[in-house]
């Protein structure tokens, strides 16, 4: 029943590669978020967007970048992946005053 | 730093018992939300309580909010093995705590 989709679900890739994690939602939500979460640990907000052409950095410094050219799409890009980027990345969306909907995440492993 | 902090970090109970998790936060909020996360999956919203509400129920879930103490609690009654998961609180600015890992033994 997911209305927010993340691809790929798992990614194992070598150091130095450029990576784009995809996130799309079909609910017309204006707000979208990226979180980074190590297994069993807390979620860290790394990027968010309150609408098209609006992006902000979150609390955790990240070497990733995001774009919001369309309401439904909020991709995250790592220009040159490093082992320290190994983590789970969760995308979420919401509208004002309403709870977030989360995707199932991308589990990223950098060798 | 993150806005919400859950307590305890881990909780292990027998099926049928009640589970209580607490959340403290630092700044003013419009609402507070509780989410559940099964291992390796995204978070699923459970319940939202607004700042002018003190208690809210949803099925076996009961949430309380004390804005004067900047704290909230989640009670799961008559727990089941399927309730095993991590539970997170989030403030209205979408910051999360570290979560409580609940294990319910059959």
């Amino acid at each position: 029943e997911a209305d927010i989709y993340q691809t790929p679900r798992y990614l194992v890739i070598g150091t130095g590669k450029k990576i784009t994690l995809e996130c799309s939602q079909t609910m017309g939500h204006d707000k979208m978020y990226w979180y980074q979460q190590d297994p069993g640990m807390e979620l860290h907000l790394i990027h968010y967007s309150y609408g098209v052409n609006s992006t902000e950095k979150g609390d955790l410094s990240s070497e990733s970048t995001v774009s919001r050219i369309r309401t439904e799409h909020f991709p995250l890009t790592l220009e040159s992946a490093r082992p320290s980027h190994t983590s789970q990345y969760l995308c979420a969306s919401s509208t004002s005053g309403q709870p977030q909907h989360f995707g199932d995440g991308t589990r990223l492993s950098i060798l | 730093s993150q806005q919400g902090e859950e307590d305890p970090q881990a909780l292990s109970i027998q099926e049928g018992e009640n589970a209580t998790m607490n959340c403290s936060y630092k700044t003013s909020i419009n609402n507070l939300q509780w989410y559940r996360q099964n291992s390796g999956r995204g978070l699923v919203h459970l319940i939202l309580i607004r700042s002018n509400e003190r208690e809210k129920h949803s099925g076996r879930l009961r949430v309380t909010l004390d804005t004067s103490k900047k704290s909230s609690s989640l009670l799961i009654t008559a727990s089941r093995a399927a309730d095993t998961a991590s539970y997170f609180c989030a403030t209205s600015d979408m910051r999360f705590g570290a979560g409580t890992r609940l294990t319910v033994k059959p």
Side-chain angles (χ1 to χ4, degrees):
Chain A
E1 61 170 51
D3 296 317
I4 180 163
Y5 306 93
Q6 289 187 245
T7 58
R9 186 82 172 85
Y10 302 94
L11 179 61
V12 181
I13 200 165
T15 298
K17 301 290 186 183
K18 180 178 179 179
I19 300 166
T20 297
L21 307 184
E22 301 288 350
C23 177
S24 295
Q25 51 99 2
T26 60
M27 297 168 284
H29 286 169
D30 51 349
K31 300 178 181 179
M32 296 189 74
Y33 310 81
W34 277 103
Y35 294 89
Q36 184 176 340
Q37 182 188 32
D38 291 329
M41 304 297 285
E42 63 189 290
L43 282 75
H44 293 279
L45 180 66
I46 51 174
H47 297 284
Y48 60 97
S49 166
Y50 285 171
V52 171
N53 294 325
S54 157
T55 61
E56 301 287 344
K57 289 189 179 295
D59 303 324
L60 182 67
S61 176
S62 173
E63 294 163 346
S64 58
T65 59
V66 292
S67 63
R68 188 91 183 274
I69 298 172
R70 303 195 319 263
T71 298
E72 62 272 22
H73 195 213
F74 192 41
L76 180 145
T77 298
L78 281 163
E79 290 292 334
S80 180
R82 297 208 303 264
S84 60
H85 296 140
T86 294
S87 189
Q88 175 166 249
Y89 293 83
L90 293 167
C91 180
S93 72
S94 72
T95 192
S96 291
Q98 296 301 312
Q100 290 178 308
H101 293 248
F102 278 82
D104 277 337
T106 293
R107 189 158 287 183
L108 178 64
S109 181
I110 309 299
L111 304 177
Chain B
S1 62
Q2 296 301 295
Q3 177 73 291
E5 294 187 9
E6 289 86 349
D7 167 57
Q9 290 187 333
L11 180 60
S12 182
I13 58 174
Q14 294 294 135
E15 211 166 28
E17 294 180 340
N18 295 343
T20 299
M21 290 158 267
N22 302 297
C23 168
S24 60
Y25 57 91
K26 297 175 183 176
T27 61
S28 297
I29 59 171
N30 295 323
N31 62 66
L32 188 133
Q33 302 157 45
W34 284 91
Y35 291 81
R36 164 195 171 125
Q37 183 181 35
N38 285 26
S39 180
R41 303 298 296 271
L43 279 71
V44 175
H45 175 253
L46 296 175
I47 196 165
L48 180 152
I49 186 166
R50 302 195 186 281
S51 58
N52 61 353
E53 297 176 309
R54 292 297 167 260
E55 188 171 312
K56 199 163 184 179
H57 297 254
S58 177
R60 293 185 295 113
L61 305 180
R62 173 179 164 245
V63 168
T64 63
L65 179 64
D66 187 336
T67 53
S68 66
K69 295 181 180 178
K70 291 187 168 56
S71 68
S72 174
S73 68
L74 170 68
L75 168 67
I76 303 174
T77 60
S79 63
R80 306 166 182 167
D83 294 330
T84 294
S86 291
Y87 292 83
F88 294 85
C89 67
T91 51
S92 40
D93 62 352
M94 304 307 181
R95 265 66 172 181
F96 288 79
T100 293
R101 280 161 289 287
L102 174 65
T103 302
V104 181
K105 301 175 188 174

mmCIF file of all heavy atoms in Angstrom, chain A residues 46-67:
data_model
loop_
_atom_site.group_PDB
_atom_site.id
_atom_site.type_symbol
_atom_site.label_atom_id
_atom_site.label_comp_id
_atom_site.label_asym_id
_atom_site.label_seq_id
_atom_site.Cartn_x
_atom_site.Cartn_y
_atom_site.Cartn_z
ATOM 1 N N ILE A 46 18.859 14.774 7.005
ATOM 2 C CA ILE A 46 19.978 15.286 6.225
ATOM 3 C C ILE A 46 19.539 16.305 5.169
ATOM 4 O O ILE A 46 20.306 17.209 4.825
ATOM 5 C CB ILE A 46 20.815 14.163 5.579
ATOM 6 C CG1 ILE A 46 19.942 13.172 4.796
ATOM 7 C CG2 ILE A 46 21.622 13.427 6.633
ATOM 8 C CD1 ILE A 46 20.765 12.126 4.027
ATOM 9 N N HIS A 47 18.344 16.181 4.647
ATOM 10 C CA HIS A 47 17.816 17.156 3.679
ATOM 11 C C HIS A 47 16.300 17.209 3.785
ATOM 12 O O HIS A 47 15.659 16.220 4.136
ATOM 13 C CB HIS A 47 18.167 16.761 2.236
ATOM 14 C CG HIS A 47 19.611 16.733 1.911
ATOM 15 N ND1 HIS A 47 20.361 17.872 1.699
ATOM 16 C CD2 HIS A 47 20.467 15.680 1.750
ATOM 17 C CE1 HIS A 47 21.606 17.519 1.436
ATOM 18 N NE2 HIS A 47 21.700 16.209 1.464
ATOM 19 N N TYR A 48 15.734 18.366 3.442
ATOM 20 C CA TYR A 48 14.291 18.444 3.333
ATOM 21 C C TYR A 48 13.906 19.493 2.294
ATOM 22 O O TYR A 48 14.719 20.344 1.910
ATOM 23 C CB TYR A 48 13.622 18.724 4.688
ATOM 24 C CG TYR A 48 14.013 20.014 5.360
ATOM 25 C CD1 TYR A 48 13.226 21.154 5.233
ATOM 26 C CD2 TYR A 48 15.149 20.080 6.165
ATOM 27 C CE1 TYR A 48 13.568 22.323 5.882
ATOM 28 C CE2 TYR A 48 15.499 21.244 6.817
ATOM 29 C CZ TYR A 48 14.705 22.367 6.678
ATOM 30 O OH TYR A 48 15.041 23.533 7.325
ATOM 31 N N SER A 49 12.669 19.391 1.861
ATOM 32 C CA SER A 49 12.157 20.302 0.841
ATOM 33 C C SER A 49 10.704 20.614 1.168
ATOM 34 O O SER A 49 9.915 19.720 1.466
ATOM 35 C CB SER A 49 12.252 19.655 -0.544
ATOM 36 O OG SER A 49 11.481 20.381 -1.483
ATOM 37 N N TYR A 50 10.355 21.879 1.085
ATOM 38 C CA TYR A 50 8.971 22.278 1.341
ATOM 39 C C TYR A 50 8.202 22.572 0.055
ATOM 40 O O TYR A 50 7.076 23.050 0.118
ATOM 41 C CB TYR A 50 8.929 23.471 2.295
ATOM 42 C CG TYR A 50 9.226 23.128 3.737
ATOM 43 C CD1 TYR A 50 9.402 24.123 4.689
ATOM 44 C CD2 TYR A 50 9.332 21.810 4.161
ATOM 45 C CE1 TYR A 50 9.674 23.812 6.015
ATOM 46 C CE2 TYR A 50 9.604 21.487 5.486
ATOM 47 C CZ TYR A 50 9.766 22.503 6.411
ATOM 48 O OH TYR A 50 10.030 22.186 7.725
ATOM 49 N N GLY A 51 8.844 22.315 -1.075
ATOM 50 C CA GLY A 51 8.155 22.501 -2.335
ATOM 51 C C GLY A 51 9.129 22.492 -3.491
ATOM 52 O O GLY A 51 10.356 22.410 -3.299
ATOM 53 N N VAL A 52 8.598 22.610 -4.687
ATOM 54 C CA VAL A 52 9.439 22.600 -5.889
ATOM 55 C C VAL A 52 10.463 23.733 -5.827
ATOM 56 O O VAL A 52 10.139 24.855 -5.420
ATOM 57 C CB VAL A 52 8.554 22.714 -7.140
ATOM 58 C CG1 VAL A 52 9.398 22.923 -8.386
ATOM 59 C CG2 VAL A 52 7.687 21.479 -7.298
ATOM 60 N N ASN A 53 11.684 23.381 -6.199
ATOM 61 C CA ASN A 53 12.820 24.306 -6.238
ATOM 62 C C ASN A 53 13.222 24.820 -4.850
ATOM 63 O O ASN A 53 13.959 25.815 -4.749
ATOM 64 C CB ASN A 53 12.542 25.493 -7.172
ATOM 65 C CG ASN A 53 12.419 25.069 -8.619
ATOM 66 O OD1 ASN A 53 13.107 24.151 -9.057
ATOM 67 N ND2 ASN A 53 11.536 25.708 -9.354
ATOM 68 N N SER A 54 12.765 24.155 -3.805
ATOM 69 C CA SER A 54 13.133 24.503 -2.436
ATOM 70 C C SER A 54 13.803 23.306 -1.782
ATOM 71 O O SER A 54 13.194 22.239 -1.685
ATOM 72 C CB SER A 54 11.872 24.879 -1.652
ATOM 73 O OG SER A 54 12.081 24.699 -0.256
ATOM 74 N N THR A 55 15.069 23.463 -1.371
ATOM 75 C CA THR A 55 15.753 22.397 -0.640
ATOM 76 C C THR A 55 16.566 23.029 0.485
ATOM 77 O O THR A 55 17.085 24.139 0.339
ATOM 78 C CB THR A 55 16.698 21.566 -1.536
ATOM 79 O OG1 THR A 55 17.710 22.412 -2.071
ATOM 80 C CG2 THR A 55 15.938 20.884 -2.660
ATOM 81 N N GLU A 56 16.661 22.301 1.593
ATOM 82 C CA GLU A 56 17.400 22.774 2.753
ATOM 83 C C GLU A 56 18.213 21.624 3.325
ATOM 84 O O GLU A 56 17.809 20.463 3.228
ATOM 85 C CB GLU A 56 16.446 23.275 3.838
ATOM 86 C CG GLU A 56 15.536 24.406 3.418
ATOM 87 C CD GLU A 56 16.263 25.731 3.267
ATOM 88 O OE1 GLU A 56 17.398 25.855 3.769
ATOM 89 O OE2 GLU A 56 15.682 26.650 2.637
ATOM 90 N N LYS A 57 19.335 21.971 3.944
ATOM 91 C CA LYS A 57 20.114 20.957 4.656
ATOM 92 C C LYS A 57 19.501 20.716 6.024
ATOM 93 O O LYS A 57 18.956 21.626 6.648
ATOM 94 C CB LYS A 57 21.576 21.425 4.785
ATOM 95 C CG LYS A 57 22.342 21.402 3.468
ATOM 96 C CD LYS A 57 23.814 21.665 3.685
ATOM 97 C CE LYS A 57 24.588 21.612 2.384
ATOM 98 N NZ LYS A 57 24.566 20.260 1.780
ATOM 99 N N GLY A 58 19.638 19.487 6.487
ATOM 100 C CA GLY A 58 19.097 19.121 7.782
ATOM 101 C C GLY A 58 20.120 19.284 8.881
ATOM 102 O O GLY A 58 21.043 20.091 8.786
ATOM 103 N N ASP A 59 19.952 18.489 9.930
ATOM 104 C CA ASP A 59 20.793 18.618 11.113
ATOM 105 C C ASP A 59 22.152 17.950 10.958
ATOM 106 O O ASP A 59 23.135 18.396 11.542
ATOM 107 C CB ASP A 59 20.078 18.003 12.315
ATOM 108 C CG ASP A 59 18.729 18.646 12.548
ATOM 109 O OD1 ASP A 59 18.622 19.868 12.335
ATOM 110 O OD2 ASP A 59 17.794 17.925 12.920
ATOM 111 N N LEU A 60 22.187 16.867 10.210
ATOM 112 C CA LEU A 60 23.416 16.109 10.069
ATOM 113 C C LEU A 60 24.111 16.532 8.786
ATOM 114 O O LEU A 60 23.521 16.490 7.700
ATOM 115 C CB LEU A 60 23.125 14.607 10.036
ATOM 116 C CG LEU A 60 24.342 13.685 9.939
ATOM 117 C CD1 LEU A 60 25.169 13.756 11.220
ATOM 118 C CD2 LEU A 60 23.894 12.246 9.679
ATOM 119 N N SER A 61 25.362 16.951 8.937
ATOM 120 C CA SER A 61 26.121 17.340 7.763
ATOM 121 C C SER A 61 26.279 16.155 6.825
ATOM 122 O O SER A 61 26.638 15.052 7.252
ATOM 123 C CB SER A 61 27.497 17.847 8.188
ATOM 124 O OG SER A 61 28.284 18.153 7.060
ATOM 125 N N SER A 62 25.996 16.362 5.577
ATOM 126 C CA SER A 62 26.059 15.274 4.611
ATOM 127 C C SER A 62 26.716 15.778 3.341
ATOM 128 O O SER A 62 26.533 16.926 2.939
ATOM 129 C CB SER A 62 24.653 14.751 4.315
ATOM 130 O OG SER A 62 24.680 13.800 3.272
ATOM 131 N N GLU A 63 27.489 14.912 2.715
ATOM 132 C CA GLU A 63 28.115 15.266 1.449
ATOM 133 C C GLU A 63 27.176 15.044 0.278
ATOM 134 O O GLU A 63 27.555 15.273 -0.867
ATOM 135 C CB GLU A 63 29.408 14.458 1.278
ATOM 136 C CG GLU A 63 30.455 14.847 2.325
ATOM 137 C CD GLU A 63 31.568 13.827 2.455
ATOM 138 O OE1 GLU A 63 31.420 12.708 1.946
ATOM 139 O OE2 GLU A 63 32.587 14.155 3.082
ATOM 140 N N SER A 64 25.978 14.615 0.539
ATOM 141 C CA SER A 64 25.005 14.381 -0.510
ATOM 142 C C SER A 64 24.321 15.681 -0.909
ATOM 143 O O SER A 64 24.360 16.675 -0.171
ATOM 144 C CB SER A 64 23.953 13.370 -0.043
ATOM 145 O OG SER A 64 23.310 13.851 1.121
ATOM 146 N N THR A 65 23.702 15.672 -2.086
ATOM 147 C CA THR A 65 22.904 16.798 -2.545
ATOM 148 C C THR A 65 21.538 16.283 -2.976
ATOM 149 O O THR A 65 21.375 15.086 -3.249
ATOM 150 C CB THR A 65 23.566 17.515 -3.736
ATOM 151 O OG1 THR A 65 23.740 16.573 -4.809
ATOM 152 C CG2 THR A 65 24.904 18.105 -3.344
ATOM 153 N N VAL A 66 20.573 17.176 -3.009
ATOM 154 C CA VAL A 66 19.217 16.807 -3.421
ATOM 155 C C VAL A 66 18.701 17.830 -4.421
ATOM 156 O O VAL A 66 19.250 18.927 -4.555
ATOM 157 C CB VAL A 66 18.244 16.737 -2.228
ATOM 158 C CG1 VAL A 66 18.595 15.566 -1.315
ATOM 159 C CG2 VAL A 66 18.242 18.047 -1.456
ATOM 160 N N SER A 67 17.637 17.452 -5.114
ATOM 161 C CA SER A 67 16.953 18.376 -6.010
ATOM 162 C C SER A 67 15.458 18.129 -5.922
ATOM 163 O O SER A 67 15.019 17.029 -5.560
ATOM 164 C CB SER A 67 17.445 18.196 -7.448
ATOM 165 O OG SER A 67 17.132 16.893 -7.918
#
